[in-house]
Amino acid sequence: MTRAVCPGSYDPVTNGHLDIIGRAAKLFDEVVVAVLINKNKKTLFSVEERTDMLAEVTAQWPNVRIDSWHGLLVDYCREHDIKAIVKGLRAVSDYDYELQMAQMNHQLSGVDTLFMPTNPIYSYLASSLVKDVATYGGDVSTLLPQTIERRLMLRLAERR
Ligand code: PNS
């Protein structure tokens, strides 16, 4: 069985993430979308909320499951017998850091990283930008699934 992981913060999941997850789901028998917990990163949604949202919007792919992990990604891969990490690349600017992480992860564990070019219609898309735009009343309806947009608006309203 071929198994890959799509790691990230997913705070919250965007259409850009879903593009990569859906394409990975066609290439591997199983894709695990792993929410990586970073205690130093302030997030808008809790880990449970992020995994719930991911489960909801990936339900269309039967071979995709959601998980979360606190620690090194390579340790998650080792524990779950995952040989490939799939990462979306939006632009050349993503490449330097992603290459560094890919090489470090390979050196640590032998796990390979496969870079998937993002669909150009999402090349500018990032969860942080979506949150920023939505905070100031901008229209993010084409950037997120409707259900995620609704949850984002509710959370931002709670924070006001
Ligand atoms: O969505 P993000 O925040 O860009 O995702 C970054 C993420 C979570 C994939 C990356 O920070 C990561 O892999 N963190 C897990 C901890 C780890 O393994 N660090 C060493 C990377 S070489």
Side-chain angles (χ1 to χ4, degrees), residues 143-154:
L143 311 177
L144 307 160
Q146 221 175 50
T147 168
I148 307 298
E149 186 199 1
R150 215 172 299 126
R151 289 177 73 154
L152 174 60
M153 293 312 174
L154 280 174

Side-chain angles (χ1 to χ4, degrees), residues 7-10 17 36 41 71-74 87 97 101 104-105:
S9 302
Y10 300 106
H17 293 127
L36 270 295
K41 205 167 172 177
L72 286 178
L73 177 59
V74 291
K87 288 285 194 80
Y97 186 49
M101 284 198 286
M104 176 64 87
N105 284 333

Side-chain angles (χ1 to χ4, degrees), residues 27-101:
L27 299 173
F28 294 90
D29 296 325
E30 184 176 67
V31 171
V32 183
V33 180
V35 175
L36 270 295
I37 303 163
N38 180 349
K39 294 268 184 241
N40 298 323
K41 205 167 172 177
K42 217 173 142 16
T43 57
L44 189 59
F45 294 98
S46 70
V47 179
E48 291 71 26
E49 287 170 330
R50 284 178 273 157
T51 54
D52 277 359
M53 288 189 278
L54 278 162
E56 194 178 339
V57 297
T58 60
Q60 60 190 301
W61 298 297
N63 60 333
V64 171
R65 64 182 180 84
I66 314 301
D67 204 355
S68 61
W69 181 253
H70 185 204
L72 286 178
L73 177 59
V74 291
D75 288 337
Y76 183 85
C77 293
R78 204 176 285 128
E79 268 197 26
H80 295 83
D81 193 28
I82 291 174
K83 304 281 190 296
I85 299 165
V86 174
K87 288 285 194 80
L89 282 187
R90 289 168 296 198
V92 176
S93 49
D94 279 345
Y95 184 71
D96 278 351
Y97 186 49
E98 289 296 342
L99 178 67
Q100 204 179 2
M101 284 198 286

